[in-house]
């Protein structure tokens, strides 16, 4: 009788061991599928955020831009995009030079936008920008790219 119980226990152990990898593989496959779905949704959201036409249309709606303003803003953003792409294509610059030039391009774009938008529209634009910056800072994983928080470099007493 003990032999039969031992054989039955061994048999159950083998069946369980054979089923375990299959179960684990299905569980991992399900996790991978959920991650793939999440990644697709995330990339879709990023594409929408980086689509210049969608960005312009949303801005035109939020700020109630005239068609003339919308055309001018489109040209300003297109010029900024070209300048930034050219800057990215440059090699041999150190990081501080690159950041300074990018900042200069952004400041130039802001000045042009100020000339095209009314004071009220520009204030709304700036408020929306600040809100986006706040949201980016509140994302899980960190305050800036790479997940690192900016440290206060002010004097301490």
């Amino acid at each position: 009788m003990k032999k039969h119980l031992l054989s039955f226990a061994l048999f159950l152990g083998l069946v369980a061991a054979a089923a375990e990898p299959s179960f684990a593989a299905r569980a991992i496959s399900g996790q991978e599928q959920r991650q793939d779905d999440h990644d697709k949704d995330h990339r879709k959201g990023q594409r929408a955020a980086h689509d210049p036409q969608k960005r312009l249309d949303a801005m035109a709606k939020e700020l109630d831009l005239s068609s003339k303003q919308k055309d001018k803003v489109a040209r300003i953003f297109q010029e900024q995009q070209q300048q930034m792409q050219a800057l990215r294509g440059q090699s041999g610059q150190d990081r501080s030079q690159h950041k300074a030039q990018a900042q200069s391009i952004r400041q130039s774009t802001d000045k042009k936008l100020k000339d095209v938008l009314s004071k009220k529209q520009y204030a709304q634009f700036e408020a929306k920008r600040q809100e986006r910056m706040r949201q980016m800072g509140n994302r899980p994983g960190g305050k800036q790219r790479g997940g690192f928080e900016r440290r206060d470099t002010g004097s301490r007493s």
Side-chain angles (χ1 to χ4, degrees), residues 1-47:
M1 182 72 176
K2 287 183 180 181
K3 286 184 181 179
H4 291 294
L5 284 175
L6 186 59
S7 336
F8 185 69
L10 186 58
F11 175 74
L12 284 177
L14 289 173
V15 169
E20 176 83 18
S22 174
F23 176 76
R26 282 194 309 268
I28 290 171
S29 175
Q31 287 175 346
E32 289 172 351
Q33 183 63 40
R34 286 190 298 276
Q35 184 64 38
D36 288 345
D37 292 345
H38 172 74
D39 291 345
K40 285 178 189 175
D41 291 343
H42 182 70
R43 285 190 303 269
K44 184 178 178 183
Q46 282 183 329
R47 279 194 302 270

Side-chain angles (χ1 to χ4, degrees), residues 57-120:
D57 290 342
M59 183 179 174
K61 185 178 178 181
E62 289 171 5
L63 302 180
D64 194 29
L65 300 180
S66 69
S67 60
K68 193 181 259 189
Q69 283 178 313
K70 187 176 176 181
D71 291 341
K72 288 180 181 180
V73 168
R75 283 194 298 272
I76 291 168
F77 283 148
Q78 184 178 20
E79 184 180 321
Q80 179 190 27
Q81 183 180 18
Q82 290 169 349
Q83 290 173 338
M84 289 298 212
Q85 284 177 342
L87 180 60
R88 286 184 203 107
Q90 295 176 358
S91 60
Q93 288 185 342
D94 70 6
R95 187 174 175 92
S96 62
Q97 285 178 323
H98 184 85
K99 284 178 71 173
Q101 286 183 331
Q103 182 64 27
S104 174
I105 292 169
R106 283 190 290 273
Q107 287 173 347
S108 173
T109 298
D110 280 352
K111 183 181 179 310
K112 292 173 188 173
L113 286 172
K114 248 183 186 175
D115 292 340
V116 171
L117 303 175
S118 70
K119 286 183 181 187
K120 181 181 176 187

Side-chain angles (χ1 to χ4, degrees), residues 124-139:
Q124 287 175 309
F125 171 75
E126 194 59 36
K128 190 73 171 173
R129 176 189 285 168
Q130 293 301 319
E131 177 61 27
R132 278 194 313 271
M133 295 300 284
R134 250 189 316 280
Q135 287 174 350
M136 286 175 25
N138 291 333
R139 289 186 310 199

